[in-house]
Amino acid sequence: MLGYTLKRLLQSVFTVLLIVTIVFLLLRLMPTDYYFTEDELIKLTDQQKLDRLQAAGLLDPPFTQLGRFYRQLFTKLDLGTSRRIQVNKPVVDLIAGKFSISMRLGLTALSVSLALGVALGVIQARFKDGLFDHIGTAYTIFINAVPPLVSYSLVLTFGARAFGLPSLYTMRKPGPSSILPIICLAMGSVAGYMLWTRRYMVDELNKDYIRLARLKGLSTGSIMFRHVLKNAFVPLAQYLPYSVLLTVGGSLLVERFFSVPGMGPLLTDAISRYDTNLVQAIVMMYASLGIAGVFLGDILMTLIDPRIHLGGKEAVR
Amino acid sequence: MSSEAAARIDGGAIDSRARQAAAQPILSARDVEVDFTLRGQRLKAIRRCSLDVYEGETLAIVGESGSGKSVFAKCFLGMLDKNGAVTGGTIMYGGRDLAKFTTEREWRSIRGKKIAMVTQDPMTSLNPLKKIGAQIREAIELHQGLHGSRARHEAVRMLDMVGIPDPERRYGQYPHEFSGGMRQRVVIAIAMACRPQILICDEPTTALDVTIQAQILQLVNALRRDHGMTIIYITHDLGVVAKVADRVAVMYAGQVVEVGLTAEVFFGADHPYTWALLGALPQLGVRGKGLPAIDGTPPNLFNKIIGDSFAPRNRKALNIDFIEEPPMFRVSPTHQAKTWLLDPRAPKLERPDSIRRLQSASIDQPTAEATGSAPREPLVEVKDMRVAFGSGRKRFVAVNDVSFTVYRGETFSLVGESGSGKTTIGRAILRVNPLANGEVLFKNRRISGKIDKALDLEVIRSMQMIFQDPMASLNERAKVDYIISEGLLNHRLYGDEAEREAKVRKALEEVGLLPEFSSRFPHEFSGGQRQRIGIARALVMEPEFIVADEPISALDVSIRAQALNLLNDLKRSHNLTYLFIAHDLSVVRFISDRIAVIHKGRIVEMAETEELFRHPLHPYTRALFSAAPSPNPDIERGKRLLAYDPAMHDYSSDKPVWNEIAPGHFVYGNQRELDGYARALGA
Amino acid sequence: MMAAANIKARTGMSEKQLFDFAAFRFQDAERTGYSEYSYWKSVWRNFVKKKSAVIMLGVFVVLFIFTFVAAAIGKYDVNNLRIVDSLMFTRPGGEFWFGTDNLGRDYWAQVWHATRTSIILAVSVSAGQILLGVIIGMMWGYVRKLDRLFTELYNLIDNIPTIIYMTLIALMIGKSYFIMACAIIGFGWLATARNVRNLVFMYRDREYNLASRCLGTKLWRILTKNILPYLISVIILRLALAIPGTIAYETTLAYLGLMDISTPSLGILLRNARSFFLDYPYLLVIPASIVSVITVTFYLVGNAFSDACDPRNHV
């Protein structure tokens, strides 16, 4: 168990480094102009630029630069400074300032949608083919079928017009101005949790052990709660750590839509403005979170499902 | 009833008959009808079926799949599938009519509390995420009203009662930590924890190995004796019936066609279907002769049944059988049969030979055909075969240093329980599983490992396989025509389209199927027919050697004899050699020339069939023999079960060897054991 | 005895004849309740029962044909739209049937052109994704040696939100329609491939495949004859669901500025409408309704089809 955990951990670190390396090398393919701030590009002469690049070692062969990058990362935990989004601010600080906003929104939305989604899914499964089941299914179809941009616009129009809620996020009033973004974040995942809870519960209900539970004389209610719900929740639980960790990354679309100054838009902004150090740092963050999420999910599975032992066959999610 | 059978009953079962005549049934089903809706059609699963259950007895309901035996029992518990419903008749129990129950609440007053059930597949019937103890406790808390430590104590006691060693520790374990047999014990413990009056066992041992099956049967018998329970035992296996039942009800096409005390049904059967069922048992066969097989295929419930449902398959059917359903005729106060043959106007038929053979206690020594001592030509040789799966620490050796030779024209059988590696050996010979060590020779040429293309093609053509599960071994989405000609297509073994079609037609006819079946899909066929399609697929390649991997174990009892006869006929007409893989010694005895017994990847004993049956030496072989069910209730009851524990061998200093202890008789053991075996042979 | 008398009257047989042995007919004994059941016929029958899906499918076909008609009957040609400041935000009316956008261009021509573009993009991208996914998934599932490789590749790509890859590609290679379509395909096959792989795992070791191997059947024939037929229903389902997925993904990419704005698609129109829709709702409502019709159609069709494919529903 311990040996396997270590092996998986090493593997994960390797994967992260692999991704970071690929991205790092890709970024070196871009024109060197992007290493300067917009101001500098105008003011500096070509010779000055060249000198600066030389001094910063940016004209060295890519692999030399890669070595230097990793040296700095491992010795000083230094990922460099932002050159464009916030000039000369260390990217670590820049990210630190933003991720808490995203995480707060994300975790709230996650807890709301988990509670609501599982509860509604249970009701759907319990009264399968009833009215509520059909309404729930219609809702999941609506959410999945209508592009998020359209449904967010609906929420925005309705929320702003009918309830007078702020249509943009402000740091001064984080409470009320978070409501619409959280609704938008949650309404999709509620549908997801509903759908899967219902599907897994219905699957479990058809299993042989449910027949034995009925044969014992248990009532439908206690079968639902004592047997079905827990078993149906197991496959859902595997994705929970992943979902929790990814809230750090924020939601690109929602944050852009409501102008939330979170992590979501940071990466696309960084890429579109060619802030290479920031891109590297964010890619690394996403990769680590993603891999850690899967890893923790597997660990969680071993804790709640006695049949699964780490070190067994690695499952593809 | 013949006088000798009557004598038997008078001698053996007079008490129970007298007791029963006086007793009132505790459960009485009258004219029960069950309808199912399937693909827009209604089919009758149970057709006006009646049965009484008496207190304290073990009643076996025997029938093949589709006979409605499980459905019938599920009616007593309101456990029919959603598309089925009881549409007629009454089921009186405890003064109430269960057939009138509609709500779950009503059924909960019966389920578990009064009638409990043990289901077929122990691997899936326990909740995988709940501890064993908790699952038993659930039943205890619900039905015995115990809670807390007293409930726990009772659960541990139940585990102990069903024979699970170290129950305290086992209480806290999960189902996946239990073997199949242990899980079935747990399921039985759960059923017992409900303290029911009636326990229904629905094929509780079908998914288990022979030796485990025997243990579970023993357990059920003991529970009944100690707790005075009534047991309804549903099975297709007449050996099981012989072992456990006081009374037997034979079901066919949704009806009970014959019911009586066990001895009455086994020795004095009156219904042609019961005759056929008993006669088709390979245990009663005579080697070298065909088994008296039942023709045709069990009725498909989609078709309307007129008259006697068994008539179309009955070579001695009367005209009236096709017109009018026979009534139940009373043969004795306890014995009834539903056949026009009992009508006073009907011609008198003698019971078939096999039934008489069953009555004479000599069935354990069928007359053996003298095996000729013609010079033997090795066809397939397996040398030091080792097959392993996985790698590193997870490496698992499935087959360990196995060597044997199959001679041309013989049937060589590998017998062992599930997981013994017998299937792996067959597949390794056919090069499906790679060898870790050793080699396989075919006509003195090595065919394992890398071989050239010409030999590869020759081997594919000359060695074919017949599979266990006729449901899984045919591609459902391909027509029979494609399935049979797949090998021909692969290697273009035909001149033109007409020749290919002719070959397919011929293969179908050879296995007793109609040529027009070639344009149909597999799902149109019954299990036995599908198995014959699988045989045709192998046959069309004109092989010399066939690996038959448990070819009859998934088939219905009435079909098994057909399949065995077919294999024997084909062997003669096509000059085939078989490697026959099986778990049931009694079947193997009928078909094989030589037998190898395999345990945990190693052959422990190998000899000619009759030699092995007369002088089983290895303790594992003897345990297998003792567990194999016999269809004679008298023999079955008197039998003592031998257990085999590999720990009995002490191989620490004295290393075991593979030794020819008598000409052609090999056994695996160390010197001390071999000396013992030799003494046993000499005695 | 009463019964026997009745039968005599009915069949004309004497009592003696009734109790004579009947001839044995082999064909009757082998009778197999030929149920006329065909898998695909049942799928079709069940699918047609879902009225909503069938109607929506009809609506969709009409809509797609109409995108060609609309261009012909419209007053303005989408390729010759002029920017006229004075006409901006003209509400729908006689001259401009769908009004004009923020630059005063005819919205009717743009909307229908965008609809056609989006449908073609969605269908071709989805088809590409599914095709690639099925091919890779089958190899992944059946050929044991490839399992490790594809599993690692899958985990590598799947661990990071694809939007990151899309951003990198859009900004480093280009955002033209062709490139973005390829990029969506390039990352979209993963889910299908994994799904197919898991299904192949289910079928791979079935005995009928073993039988094929014993008969010396080549890999491609096993894949196409033994495995693919079992996957068809899943493939069609995934295709149906991939279409709304692609449309939604395209709108997201357009919104994030990762799509080329020179060819209007529904995504681009929605993105443009984003800033003005509170005051000029028609700019959003028209393309949004069309998007919703398309996506809901394929969702209903996909789900109806998946239900129809489930043999348990063939009762």
Side-chain angles (χ1 to χ4, degrees):
Chain A
M1 171 88 183
L2 190 70
Y4 176 77
T5 313
L6 278 175
K7 200 178 123 204
R8 271 288 295 272
L9 218 54
L10 277 176
Q11 247 177 9
S12 312
V13 170
F14 177 75
T15 313
V16 172
L17 294 184
L18 188 68
I19 293 170
V20 172
T21 306
I22 293 170
V23 172
F24 186 92
L25 294 176
L26 278 176
L27 290 170
R28 300 303 119 176
L29 296 175
M30 295 203 301
T32 49
D33 277 2
Y34 297 126
Y35 294 120
F36 301 96
T37 65
E38 277 98 342
D39 286 351
E40 286 169 335
L41 269 180
I42 303 163
K43 283 188 243 155
L44 299 177
T45 64
D46 284 357
Q47 188 55 46
Q48 277 175 309
K49 285 184 194 166
L50 213 59
D51 291 344
R52 286 238 203 145
L53 288 173
Q54 197 93 54
L58 289 169
L59 294 179
D60 296 346
F63 286 99
T64 322
Q65 295 188 42
L66 187 66
R68 193 177 315 122
F69 169 77
Y70 278 129
R71 211 160 32 247
Q72 280 189 343
L73 175 60
F74 291 130
T75 52
K76 295 182 242 164
L77 278 180
D78 182 7
L79 285 163
T81 55
S82 164
R83 290 206 183 80
R84 297 214 153 185
I85 304 269
Q86 284 183 28
V87 180
N88 284 338
K89 184 164 185 175
V91 293
V92 178
D93 297 352
L94 209 160
I95 292 175
K98 290 196 173 247
F99 85 88
S100 62
I101 299 175
S102 290
M103 211 168 162
R104 196 167 49 79
L105 288 182
L107 285 181
T108 319
L110 183 67
S111 16
V112 169
S113 53
L114 191 63
L116 212 58
V118 171
L120 294 175
V122 170
I123 299 175
Q124 272 190 290
R126 174 70 182 83
F127 302 102
K128 188 167 167 280
D129 298 325
L131 179 66
F132 186 83
D133 189 22
H134 290 305
I135 295 174
T137 310
Y139 175 70
T140 46
I141 288 182
F142 173 82
I143 287 298
N144 283 298
V146 175
L149 203 53
V150 175
S151 45
Y152 294 174
S153 305
L154 283 177
V155 170
L156 177 58
T157 320
F158 200 65
R161 290 273 158 91
F163 295 98
L165 289 165
S167 63
L168 292 179
Y169 182 87
T170 58
M171 297 294 268
R172 275 168 306 164
K173 280 200 281 180
S177 65
S178 303
I179 294 178
L180 292 184
I182 287 174
I183 290 177
C184 286
L185 282 172
M187 69 185 181
S189 42
V190 166
Y193 285 118
M194 267 169 84
L195 180 77
W196 290 110
T197 307
R198 177 187 181 278
R199 161 110 38 112
Y200 289 136
M201 295 220 12
V202 170
D203 281 358
E204 291 295 320
L205 276 173
N206 287 328
K207 294 213 169 135
D208 276 359
Y209 72 85
I210 296 299
R211 203 173 44 179
L212 185 69
R214 281 179 68 199
L215 281 169
K216 267 188 234 177
L218 288 181
S219 64
T220 317
S222 43
I223 289 177
M224 277 282 170
F225 283 98
R226 279 198 238 165
H227 289 272
V228 183
L229 185 58
K230 186 185 171 193
N231 294 28
F233 193 70
V234 169
L236 283 178
Q238 191 177 10
Y239 301 97
L240 266 186
Y242 185 78
S243 314
V244 170
L245 285 183
L246 274 209
T247 57
V248 173
S251 159
L252 181 53
L253 206 57
V254 171
E255 294 184 5
R256 187 59 89 71
F257 203 84
F258 293 97
S259 303
V260 180
M263 285 296 294
L266 192 61
L267 178 71
T268 39
D269 287 350
I271 296 175
S272 57
R273 294 178 66 188
Y274 302 97
D275 195 333
T276 46
N277 285 346
L278 194 54
V279 173
Q280 268 151 219
I282 297 175
V283 166
M284 195 162 127
M285 185 192 80
Y286 276 115
S288 322
L289 288 177
I291 289 169
V294 175
F295 181 52
L296 291 178
D298 288 351
I299 303 259
L300 187 64
M301 289 295 281
T302 63
L303 295 180
I304 54 178
D305 189 338
R307 285 167 299 178
I308 297 174
H309 284 282
L310 279 186
K313 224 175 138 44
E314 242 174 280
V316 174
R317 295 186 312 121
Chain B
M1 193 187 302
S2 77
S3 59
E4 56 184 317
R8 233 165 237 287
I9 291 157
D10 290 344
I14 188 94
D15 302 347
S16 57
R17 187 202 272 182
R19 206 173 54 220
Q20 200 186 75
Q24 282 294 310
I26 54 170
L27 188 145
S28 176
R30 282 284 161 273
D31 297 325
V32 173
E33 298 203 327
V34 175
D35 281 10
F36 278 86
T37 323
L38 194 62
R39 294 181 195 128
Q41 300 183 51
R42 274 162 85 82
L43 53 89
K44 278 222 171 308
I46 302 292
R47 304 179 302 132
R48 290 196 295 108
C49 187
S50 304
L51 191 65
D52 289 329
V53 182
Y54 296 93
E55 178 142 30
E57 72 169 348
T58 300
L59 169 68
I61 303 180
V62 200
E64 43 199 323
S65 59
S67 63
K69 57 189 190 302
S70 278
V71 173
F72 189 42
K74 281 178 184 165
C75 300
F76 307 160
L77 282 158
M79 289 295 286
L80 290 176
D81 291 337
K82 282 209 181 71
N83 57 344
V86 178
T87 51
T90 56
I91 304 169
M92 295 308 293
Y93 174 76
R96 291 194 289 170
D97 182 4
L98 304 185
K100 301 273 182 303
F101 278 17
T102 46
T103 62
E104 282 287 300
R105 184 183 297 274
E106 282 171 306
W107 280 116
R108 279 212 306 279
S109 66
I110 296 291
R111 276 186 210 147
K113 211 179 276 327
K114 301 287 180 198
I115 305 176
M117 188 161 176
V118 175
T119 50
Q120 178 169 0
D121 192 357
M123 301 314 272
T124 55
S125 40
L126 293 169
N127 185 340
L129 300 184
K130 251 177 135 67
K131 286 182 180 158
I132 292 292
Q135 299 193 42
I136 300 175
R137 248 177 88 160
E138 219 170 33
I140 293 171
E141 285 171 1
L142 192 65
H143 295 293
Q144 303 184 21
L146 298 176
H147 292 279
S149 63
R150 288 178 58 206
R152 188 198 146 89
H153 185 77
E154 177 67 10
V156 173
R157 200 181 67 81
M158 299 304 291
L159 279 174
D160 191 42
M161 187 181 78
V162 296
I164 287 177
D166 198 1
E168 278 288 345
R169 189 173 59 86
R170 290 299 208 164
Y171 178 91
Q173 287 186 327
Y174 290 96
H176 71 273
E177 296 169 81
F178 283 61
S179 68
M182 284 294 173
R183 286 192 211 189
Q184 196 60 293
R185 286 172 192 265
V186 173
V187 174
I188 292 172
I190 290 175
M192 292 297 295
C194 301
R195 298 265 174 91
Q197 187 176 21
I198 301 176
L199 179 67
I200 300 175
C201 299
D202 186 2
E203 304 248 13
T205 57
T206 308
L208 302 174
D209 274 324
V210 199
T211 48
I212 309 293
Q213 161 174 316
Q215 292 167 8
I216 296 283
L217 293 182
Q218 236 176 12
L219 170 66
V220 173
N221 261 350
L223 290 176
R224 183 193 63 142
R225 200 181 50 234
D226 301 346
H227 298 261
M229 253 186 327
T230 307
I231 290 176
I232 301 177
Y233 211 102
I234 299 165
T235 182
H236 67 274
D237 189 334
L238 287 163
V240 168
V241 177
K243 187 164 191 82
V244 299
D246 299 320
R247 276 197 322 136
V248 184
V250 180
M251 280 189 77
Y252 188 77
Q255 290 182 324
V256 171
V257 294
E258 180 153 18
V259 58
L261 300 178
T262 303
E264 287 173 325
V265 171
F266 273 78
F267 303 123
D270 279 311
H271 197 283
Y273 177 64
T274 316
W275 291 345
L277 212 53
L278 286 165
L281 285 170
Q283 288 95 323
L284 298 181
V286 177
R287 251 156 54 83
K289 286 192 191 164
L291 282 171
I294 311 180
D295 294 291
T297 286
N300 186 310
L301 297 175
F302 278 117
N303 298 330
K304 192 166 165 46
I305 293 169
I306 301 165
D308 184 338
S309 49
F310 184 60
R313 299 172 70 191
N314 184 3
R315 284 186 186 264
K316 293 280 174 61
L318 305 174
N319 280 321
I320 194 169
D321 282 332
F322 293 94
I323 299 161
E324 184 77 8
E325 187 183 319
M328 263 292 182
F329 286 94
R330 183 176 285 270
V331 184
S332 82
T334 49
H335 185 186
Q336 291 169 295
K338 198 177 172 70
T339 170
W340 283 116
L341 287 179
L342 290 172
D343 191 284
R345 292 161 293 180
K348 293 285 158 267
L349 273 181
E350 274 293 302
R351 291 196 184 87
D353 287 353
S354 45
I355 304 285
R356 284 203 292 273
R357 220 170 13 255
L358 184 66
Q359 290 164 354
S360 66
S362 66
I363 59 157
D364 267 1
Q365 293 112 31
T367 35
E369 196 185 337
T371 28
S373 53
R376 299 195 294 180
E377 172 200 346
L379 187 69
V380 173
E381 289 167 80
V382 173
K383 291 186 175 167
D384 304 323
M385 176 191 277
R386 175 180 298 206
V387 183
F389 296 113
S391 58
R393 262 186 306 161
K394 278 172 281 178
R395 197 174 162 86
F396 162 69
V397 178
V399 178
N400 204 352
D401 294 330
V402 161
S403 304
F404 59 85
T405 305
V406 183
Y407 298 97
R408 186 183 284 282
E410 75 169 347
T411 301
F412 180 81
S413 291
L414 279 177
V415 182
E417 304 191 314
S418 58
S420 61
K422 56 189 193 301
T423 294
T424 312
I425 294 177
R427 292 182 180 182
I429 293 175
L430 287 180
R431 303 175 303 157
V432 174
N433 292 333
L435 301 187
N437 185 34
E439 58 179 3
V440 178
L441 304 184
F442 178 65
K443 297 186 188 165
N444 295 319
R445 283 172 298 173
R446 183 178 60 82
I447 57 163
S448 52
K450 264 205 165 0
I451 55 172
D452 65 61
K453 261 208 143 75
L455 182 58
D456 184 59
L457 182 61
E458 191 196 324
V459 172
I460 286 174
R461 289 197 60 172
S462 358
M463 298 167 80
Q464 278 302 318
M465 188 149 177
I466 298 169
F467 293 88
Q468 172 174 12
D469 183 357
M471 292 301 159
S473 60
L474 301 182
N475 183 355
E476 294 271 350
R477 300 286 162 85
K479 288 190 175 167
V480 170
D481 181 53
Y482 173 80
I483 292 173
I484 294 180
S485 44
E486 186 171 337
L488 302 176
L489 293 168
N490 285 337
H491 310 290
R492 257 207 93 81
L493 301 175
Y494 55 95
D496 53 7
E497 202 51 15
E499 191 189 336
R500 186 184 63 79
E501 279 167 20
K503 283 188 169 191
V504 171
R505 223 173 18 249
K506 180 160 164 278
L508 276 173
E509 277 165 6
E510 276 176 335
V511 297
L513 294 175
L514 308 173
E516 68 253 32
F517 286 178
S518 73
S519 61
R520 297 194 191 168
F521 286 95
H523 63 74
E524 299 286 352
F525 299 100
S526 69
Q529 289 171 324
R530 291 173 68 129
Q531 192 61 299
R532 282 184 270 165
I533 294 171
I535 296 174
R537 168 175 61 189
L539 216 55
V540 83
M541 300 291 279
E542 295 165 16
E544 296 171 61
F545 177 71
I546 288 182
V547 174
D549 185 1
E550 304 241 17
I552 63 159
S553 63
L555 301 182
D556 269 319
V557 196
S558 75
I559 303 300
R560 286 186 180 181
Q562 257 179 30
L564 282 178
N565 284 349
L566 176 63
L567 287 174
N568 266 341
D569 293 347
L570 291 173
K571 179 179 161 184
R572 268 193 293 275
S573 58
H574 288 67
N575 194 21
L576 294 170
T577 306
Y578 289 131
L579 174 64
F580 194 92
I581 297 170
H583 67 273
D584 186 348
L585 268 169
S586 49
V587 171
V588 167
R589 182 180 202 177
F590 170 72
I591 195 165
S592 25
D593 298 306
R594 286 192 304 138
I595 297 176
V597 178
I598 180 164
H599 182 248
K600 297 248 159 75
R602 192 182 284 283
I603 295 184
V604 295
E605 189 163 4
M606 179 164 86
E608 284 188 358
T609 305
E610 285 318 311
E611 166 73 10
L612 188 74
F613 273 78
R614 245 172 255 132
H615 309 292
L617 296 176
H618 197 276
Y620 179 67
T621 314
R622 299 161 73 103
L624 267 187
F625 275 129
S626 79
S630 150
N632 182 325
D634 294 349
I635 295 175
E636 194 54 43
R637 306 243 161 128
K639 213 158 66 178
R640 224 180 87 251
L641 202 58
L642 298 176
Y644 173 62
D645 179 9
M648 66 187 284
H649 303 288
D650 177 17
Y651 289 156
S652 53
S653 57
D654 195 359
K655 293 290 174 223
V657 287
W658 183 231
N659 184 285
E660 186 167 8
I661 197 156
H665 191 162
F666 295 82
V667 66
Y668 182 76
N670 62 17
Q671 203 49 56
R672 205 173 48 80
E673 287 171 337
L674 291 175
D675 292 344
Y677 297 154
R679 273 197 303 280
L681 270 181
Chain C
M1 305 301 133
M2 277 289 289
N6 272 337
I7 304 159
K8 245 190 301 184
R10 226 168 51 223
T11 58
M13 273 196 222
S14 74
E15 194 166 272
K16 173 143 184 357
Q17 277 173 320
L18 279 175
F19 286 94
D20 272 348
F21 291 114
F24 180 76
R25 284 191 301 271
F26 180 71
Q27 309 249 333
D28 283 353
E30 277 304 343
R31 192 159 151 219
T32 62
Y34 191 65
S35 61
E36 298 280 349
Y37 168 77
S38 144
Y39 179 76
W40 290 108
K41 239 184 257 167
S42 288
V43 169
W44 177 246
R45 233 196 344 260
N46 275 6
F47 180 77
V48 177
K49 268 190 221 150
K50 293 267 163 103
K51 291 281 177 289
S52 56
V54 176
I55 291 169
M56 287 303 279
L57 201 58
V59 171
F60 170 76
V61 171
V62 171
L63 184 82
F64 186 60
I65 295 170
F66 188 70
T67 58
F68 294 93
V69 179
I73 62 172
K75 293 185 178 177
Y76 297 86
D77 180 12
V78 71
N79 299 315
N80 280 317
L81 290 177
R82 281 175 305 132
I83 295 171
V84 184
D85 284 356
S86 59
L87 288 175
M88 60 192 235
F89 298 128
T90 312
R91 293 189 187 264
E95 179 62 20
F96 299 105
W97 294 338
F98 277 178
T100 61
D101 65 4
N102 56 327
L103 299 174
R105 294 174 298 187
D106 179 41
Y107 210 44
W108 172 273
Q110 289 189 57
V111 163
W112 292 113
H113 184 76
T115 305
R116 197 191 322 156
T117 315
S118 285
I119 291 176
I120 292 171
L121 179 87
V123 170
S124 49
V125 163
S126 308
Q129 266 176 20
I130 302 299
L131 189 69
L132 198 63
V134 168
I135 292 172
I136 293 180
M138 292 216 304
M139 303 297 289
W140 183 2
Y142 200 85
V143 186
R144 278 162 213 269
K145 283 177 197 148
L146 293 177
D147 185 39
R148 182 87 201 180
L149 173 76
F150 279 118
T151 305
E152 290 301 322
L153 187 68
Y154 177 84
N155 288 337
L156 195 69
I157 299 177
D158 190 57
N159 275 327
I160 299 179
T162 46
I163 206 80
I164 293 180
Y165 295 110
M166 301 308 280
T167 315
L168 282 172
I169 288 170
L171 295 171
M172 298 174 94
I173 304 173
K175 340 179 174 176
S176 82
Y177 255 77
F178 183 70
I179 292 174
M180 288 321 279
C182 290
I184 301 176
I185 293 176
F187 290 101
W189 59 267
L190 285 159
T192 309
R194 191 196 63 196
N195 190 192
V196 168
R197 173 231 189 222
N198 290 344
L199 287 171
V200 172
F201 259 48
M202 266 171 53
Y203 294 112
R204 185 180 66 187
D205 293 327
R206 295 265 169 101
E207 279 188 343
Y208 72 88
N209 284 319
L210 213 59
S212 288
R213 285 166 66 192
C214 289
L215 293 165
T217 309
K218 298 269 182 299
L219 176 64
W220 65 268
R221 199 201 279 272
I222 292 186
L223 288 181
T224 52
K225 283 280 189 179
N226 289 10
I227 307 262
L228 196 60
Y230 291 84
L231 305 181
I232 294 283
S233 60
V234 175
I235 292 170
I236 296 181
L237 170 68
R238 290 204 75 99
L239 183 66
L241 298 187
I243 290 170
T246 310
I247 288 190
Y249 202 56
E250 183 239 340
T251 61
T252 306
L253 290 180
Y255 178 69
L256 298 173
L258 300 176
M259 294 297 275
D260 184 8
I261 47 169
S262 60
T263 343
S265 69
L266 290 172
I268 301 283
L269 294 188
L270 289 173
R271 166 200 151 96
N272 292 345
R274 155 82 181 97
S275 324
F276 320 107
F277 76 89
L278 285 178
D279 298 316
Y280 307 100
Y282 67 90
L283 286 179
L284 184 85
V285 168
I286 294 166
S289 331
I290 294 178
V291 166
S292 305
V293 167
I294 299 172
T295 51
V296 169
T297 298
F298 281 99
Y299 245 85
L300 289 177
V301 169
N303 282 324
F305 186 77
S306 114
D307 284 352
C309 278
D310 187 347
R312 275 177 299 182
N313 294 332
H314 290 192
V315 288

